[in-house]
Amino acid sequence: MKAWLVLQEGPGAGHSYPLDPFRQTVLSVGRSADCDIALTDQRASRHHGDIRWNGNHWEVVDRGSTNGTYVNGLQVHAPYDLRVGDRITIGETTMVLREFDAPSPTPVRQPGPGGGQQPGKASARRDATIEGRALRPAAPAAQVRERHPPQPQPAPQAVESAAVPAAFWLVQGVAAAAVVCLASGAFLPWLRVTGSLSQNLQPLVQGLAGIVATLSGPDSVLNFTQEIGGLQGYGKLTLGVAAIALITLVVDILFAFKRRTVVPGIVYLVSGLLAAGAMGLDLINYYRFYDQIQSMSLLFGVNLADVVKVFGQFVEVKITPLIGLPLTAIGLVLLLGVGVARLVMTLLDRR
């Protein structure tokens, strides 16, 4: 797509530069005389940016300039597709992308015999020269027109910058939910153990039924129930993890302007992995110990597993998980997820 890049405001206003992808796909812009579009703007960097053809559109690319590149008032940090009417601001210079209109041919006077121009006459052809670099002739102002009104678009980096704070506060909300789950699970019961005598023992206790009923009620011997709280086991560990996560959460919120640090994500991950690893290691050791019991022998070669099997015929034991256990598990999963999300968000924000 052929187009004109017209300097509308700032030093060199009125000059126009043709953009033709069949002749040149990349034009450098900056204060240096080596640039294709050399600016006399002291606020522009020596090699400020590029105007290049990406196959479908002309786009502007900032090359790490000091004062930045703006399109329609928004700073761009990545290649930005230009449309007719877009205003590109570099330092104090504003350039506008216009549709291409071929200028009408203008006669050029021949030089006189001495090699100079005819006296008293100026050449009809004007070479726009900036810092010693000759450029193509500028299009007459009457022929540069805009067929479509400008349609400003937000820069991609501006959209990304608005999304980062929203993700930051979402992560903080999930971290707060993890702290609540871990703290609540530590104070609530984890397991309920219920035991009762098997039906095989009822004939043996029928003769004692009256005595048992008289002393402590008919069900005191035949049934028993015991609840195991979180603080009786790993609840103390998970409560400590909740305290660490809460301190990290408060510090992270107070210093939200330093959200590019990886420290909160590492603290969440390490504390969550320590608690989950300790509980998982204990579970693995339990199964190993259970396998050892199966092969352990007692007096006269009787296996301990056989004793447990016989004992199970007379006593029925049932273990029921209570609300504290799933709450603790959910809290650990949320905490690990928060750690990963916080690290990913930090890396994206730095990028």
Side-chain angles (χ1 to χ4, degrees):
M1 179 190 74
K2 294 183 179 181
W4 286 101
L5 193 61
V6 182
L7 270 65
Q8 192 175 63
E9 299 176 4
H15 291 298
S16 302
Y17 305 94
L19 303 179
D20 187 351
F22 296 101
R23 292 178 177 270
Q24 189 173 0
T25 57
V26 179
L27 286 85
S28 57
V29 183
R31 188 163 41 87
S32 174
D34 298 334
C35 295
D36 298 306
I37 302 177
L39 305 177
T40 57
D41 191 335
Q42 295 302 317
R43 296 196 59 189
S45 300
R46 291 183 57 83
H47 297 88
H48 199 100
D50 294 326
I51 305 295
R52 68 188 185 190
W53 178 254
N54 61 13
N56 296 314
H57 303 279
W58 288 102
E59 63 182 13
V60 60
V61 182
D62 186 88
R63 296 173 61 178
S65 61
T66 301
N67 296 320
T69 303
Y70 296 81
V71 177
N72 300 327
L74 298 176
Q75 186 175 5
V76 296
H77 301 274
Y80 183 83
D81 291 345
L82 297 173
R83 301 181 64 176
V84 173
D86 281 348
R87 297 167 58 88
I88 306 168
T89 302
I90 294 177
E92 297 178 355
T93 303
T94 299
M95 300 173 284
V96 181
L97 186 69
R98 305 287 188 182
E99 286 196 66
F100 182 83
D101 286 320
S104 58
T106 305
V108 180
R109 295 184 181 274
Q110 299 296 330
Q117 296 180 346
Q118 295 181 1
K121 300 292 185 177
S123 175
R125 179 178 181 181
R126 180 171 58 88
D127 290 337
T129 307
I130 300 179
E131 295 186 6
R133 185 176 180 85
L135 302 175
R136 293 174 62 94
Q143 294 182 356
V144 179
R145 57 191 178 88
E146 184 179 344
R147 296 181 179 177
H148 301 284
Q151 300 179 3
Q153 296 178 345
Q157 183 65 23
V159 177
E160 181 181 352
S161 299
V164 170
F168 174 80
W169 292 111
L170 178 60
V171 168
Q172 305 309 319
V174 178
V179 171
V180 172
C181 290
L182 289 173
S184 302
F187 290 101
L188 293 174
W190 284 21
L191 299 172
R192 177 185 292 120
V193 181
T194 303
S196 62
L197 294 179
S198 175
Q199 298 293 332
N200 298 330
L201 290 181
Q202 287 189 1
L204 300 178
V205 298
Q206 285 180 354
L208 300 176
I211 300 176
V212 171
T214 302
L215 295 178
S216 55
D219 296 329
S220 60
V221 176
L222 300 180
N223 300 284
F224 65 91
T225 301
Q226 178 68 38
E227 289 188 355
I228 301 177
L231 295 178
Q232 296 176 260
Y234 280 101
K236 297 178 182 178
L237 175 61
T238 56
L239 185 60
V241 171
I244 295 174
L246 179 60
I247 295 174
T248 305
L249 174 64
V250 173
V251 173
D252 201 15
I253 291 177
L254 292 178
F255 297 93
F257 60 91
K258 293 186 177 180
R259 61 174 179 264
R260 292 188 176 184
T261 178
V262 298
V263 174
I266 294 177
V267 172
Y268 289 139
L269 270 180
V270 171
S271 58
L273 287 175
L274 285 177
M279 298 173 68
L281 184 62
D282 199 14
L283 189 62
I284 294 175
N285 291 334
Y286 167 77
Y287 281 108
R288 289 180 177 177
F289 180 71
Y290 181 79
D291 292 337
Q292 293 176 359
I293 289 178
Q294 299 296 323
S295 59
M296 188 180 297
S297 59
L298 298 176
L299 186 62
F300 303 118
V302 177
N303 290 332
L304 184 60
D306 297 333
V307 176
V308 174
K309 184 177 180 180
V310 173
F311 180 77
Q313 295 179 357
F314 299 100
V315 178
E316 297 176 357
V317 179
K318 181 179 180 182
I319 301 177
T320 305
L322 299 180
I323 185 64
L325 187 60
L327 269 180
T328 302
I330 293 174
L332 288 177
V333 172
L334 290 178
L335 190 63
L336 294 175
V338 165
V340 174
R342 187 67 175 82
L343 289 177
V344 171
M345 186 191 67
T346 300
L347 296 178
L348 292 178
D349 195 16
R350 286 184 173 182
R351 180 180 179 184

